[in-house]
Amino acid sequence: MITKKIFTFFILFAFFFYAPYVAFAHVLKTSGSIGVVMHINPEDEPVARRESTLFFELKDKSNSFRPDTCDCNVEIREKGDIIYSQPLFQNATTANPLEASATYTFPQKDVYTIILNGRPLHSGDFKPFSVQFAVRVERTTGSEIGRASCRERV
């Protein structure tokens, strides 16, 4: 009976203190009127030393954002250092102008920060924005068993 109470306590503790701080992949992050949803292939579980594709879908509540009027970039940071950067719409392959992608090979298991920044090329086109996602890479290319997830503290 005591074991069941202890187990219940730990479950409730984890739920009330851990769950409010973590949101998983496919969460809309916003900055002003701009929102971004990120997805990572494979299956939102990037594997160290294996190429991953990052997909971004942008949404604009004000309908004033256009990629051709934006100095937009995607950055990948590890321990605060920029380890990769490219123009956000450099690899656009869909008919939807508000979708972008980037490919990247995470070098090792670690927690990375993906940051999307956008500034208007002409004042007044839209308000600058910046959103970030924390990505935990926990698997490697070997037979190692592990999990990786896209998490964000809210």
Side-chain angles (χ1 to χ4, degrees):
M1 187 61 122
I2 292 176
T3 305
K4 187 175 181 181
K5 288 182 180 179
I6 292 172
F7 178 75
T8 302
F9 171 77
F10 282 112
I11 294 297
L12 291 173
F13 179 83
F15 179 76
F16 288 111
F17 291 99
Y18 181 69
Y21 299 103
V22 176
F24 294 92
H26 298 235
V27 171
L28 177 66
K29 304 292 294 179
T30 60
S31 175
S33 67
I34 304 293
V36 180
V37 175
M38 181 179 71
H39 167 70
I40 300 176
N41 274 346
E43 302 171 357
D44 289 315
E45 295 188 0
V47 178
R49 298 185 301 272
R50 183 177 294 160
E51 185 176 84
S52 296
T53 304
L54 292 72
F55 297 96
F56 305 99
E57 181 181 356
L58 283 77
K59 301 173 187 297
D60 178 21
K61 289 190 289 189
S62 70
N63 290 320
S64 59
F65 177 80
R66 291 190 347 251
D68 61 332
T69 65
C70 182
D71 177 16
C72 295
N73 293 289
V74 58
E75 295 178 354
I76 299 176
R77 295 180 181 226
E78 184 179 26
K79 295 177 178 65
D81 295 328
I82 298 173
I83 58 173
Y84 182 79
S85 180
Q86 77 166 50
L88 179 60
F89 294 99
Q90 172 178 298
N91 300 335
T93 59
T94 69
N96 183 343
L98 298 181
E99 291 180 357
S101 65
T103 56
Y104 183 72
T105 301
F106 294 95
Q108 61 193 9
K109 296 193 297 186
D110 206 346
V111 176
Y112 298 85
T113 304
I114 312 296
I115 302 173
L116 272 66
N117 293 308
R119 293 189 328 247
L121 294 175
H122 309 289
S123 180
D125 284 348
F126 61 90
K127 291 184 179 176
F129 66 91
S130 181
V131 296
Q132 56 183 295
F133 300 87
V135 176
R136 180 177 301 278
V137 177
E138 292 182 344
R139 293 191 305 161
T140 59
T141 57
S143 59
E144 183 177 355
I145 297 172
R147 294 200 37 87
S149 59
C150 302
R151 299 181 179 188
E152 185 62 32
R153 294 193 180 274
V154 280

